[in-house]
Amino acid sequence: MQEILEEIVRGARDDAITGVDVVIRPALSAGVSEVLEAGAILLLTPANIGYMSGAMKHFFDQIYYPCLEATVGKPYAVCIHGNLDTTGALRSIETITTGLKWRLAAAPVEL
């Protein structure tokens, strides 16, 4: 996952892209204030036995209700890495982000 993150950050910080500040927060330390301040969110998670990581689930558990009304329409993207059922992990993230009424900004990437 670290290599994937590094490639994404390198692309987002390309000189051709202006007006974007990249802030990286591990799922276990990201919280409501980061979600409220973000213009968009990129979710990266491994697929663990057909589900998102426990850290990602914890992130959603912490921010769901406090962000429910305040982040409607928040653009997000998702990248899932795994060799066992990335579709299950994606489905679980889509269920939560649908409840939050976030807007998928790019096609999900499953690696």
Side-chain angles (χ1 to χ4, degrees), residues 22-90:
V22 177
V23 178
I24 301 166
R25 292 285 185 271
L28 290 176
S29 64
V32 173
S33 61
E34 286 87 5
V35 173
L36 294 174
E37 292 172 6
I41 296 175
L42 174 59
L43 305 165
L44 270 66
T45 186
N48 293 331
I49 314 169
Y51 199 69
M52 71 182 95
S53 70
M56 184 67 68
K57 176 66 167 74
H58 175 77
F59 163 74
F60 281 127
D61 287 345
Q62 298 304 305
I63 65 100
Y64 191 87
Y65 288 108
C67 292
L68 189 57
E69 298 298 324
T71 61
V72 170
K74 175 83 67 181
Y76 82 98
V78 60
C79 178
I80 300 170
H81 178 268
N83 58 6
L84 181 62
D85 195 10
T86 58
T87 57
L90 178 59

Side-chain angles (χ1 to χ4, degrees), residues 8-9 11-23 39-40:
I8 291 169
V9 170
R13 290 183 173 155
D14 187 282
D15 291 339
I17 300 173
T18 59
V20 174
D21 292 321
V22 177
V23 178

